[in-house]
Amino acid sequence: MLCGFFFAGSGFGKVLLHDGALYAAAPRAVAWYAAVPQPLIVFVGVCEVLGGVGLILPAMTRVKPKLTPLAAVGLALTMILAAGFHVTRGEYELVPANLVLGGVAAFIAVGRWNLRPIAPAALTASRTFRSLAVLGALALLVFAPTWYTMTNVQF
């Protein structure tokens, strides 16, 4: 679940860069943003948000639980591509984080696909409530602080 929160939060920060003013200021905080077109950063952010939520909700609700390992594979691929991008730019200090996050995502993918798959089940009221509680926690603990920081702090 923590990995899902991390990816969703990281991705949400990138999604917020759809705003032109935030995108213009972003390279002062994160240098590599200057080398990537705005639509690509937003697209990667959307993928990370959906992947992060995909790590949590299908497993928690047991509705389409095969989406959890697929989300993990997508996030692992994203991290491999990010590591390659940073290597080509000579930003070697960023590569270990990409490899660790990609490794965790790959571990989740293998675990949920082969080692400990989640059996599908009917959606119950308690699973729905827990899922809504997790989404609320994601909004309050990750999305709201990210939005506030990016819109109110000068980089």
Side-chain angles (χ1 to χ4, degrees):
M1 188 180 304
L2 259 172
C3 192
F5 268 64
F6 176 82
F7 276 110
S10 174
F12 186 69
K14 293 176 183 82
V15 170
L16 289 176
L17 295 179
H18 77 282
D19 179 82
L22 288 177
Y23 177 72
R28 290 192 295 266
V30 181
W32 65 263
Y33 285 170
V36 180
Q38 182 181 16
L40 181 57
I41 292 175
V42 173
F43 174 74
V44 169
V46 168
C47 291
E48 287 180 356
V49 169
L50 293 176
V53 171
L55 289 180
I56 300 168
L57 287 186
M60 182 176 276
T61 62
R62 293 185 175 224
V63 173
K64 304 285 185 188
K66 287 291 184 188
L67 292 176
T68 294
L70 290 176
V73 167
L75 292 170
L77 179 61
T78 300
M79 291 297 102
I80 290 168
L81 293 171
F85 171 77
H86 291 305
V87 166
T88 61
R89 288 183 40 88
E91 300 169 332
Y92 302 109
E93 66 279 2
L94 300 175
V95 174
N98 294 135
L99 295 179
V100 167
L101 291 168
V104 169
F107 178 79
I108 292 169
V110 170
R112 288 300 180 199
W113 202 278
N114 293 327
L115 304 177
R116 299 220 19 176
I118 298 168
L123 185 61
T124 63
S126 67
R127 285 196 195 110
T128 302
F129 179 74
R130 282 192 326 218
S131 299
L132 291 173
V134 167
L135 287 176
L138 191 62
L140 289 173
L141 300 173
V142 179
F143 294 163
T146 301
W147 171 81
Y148 179 81
T149 301
M150 290 189 68
T151 56
N152 292 298
V153 174
Q154 298 297 319
F155 295 108

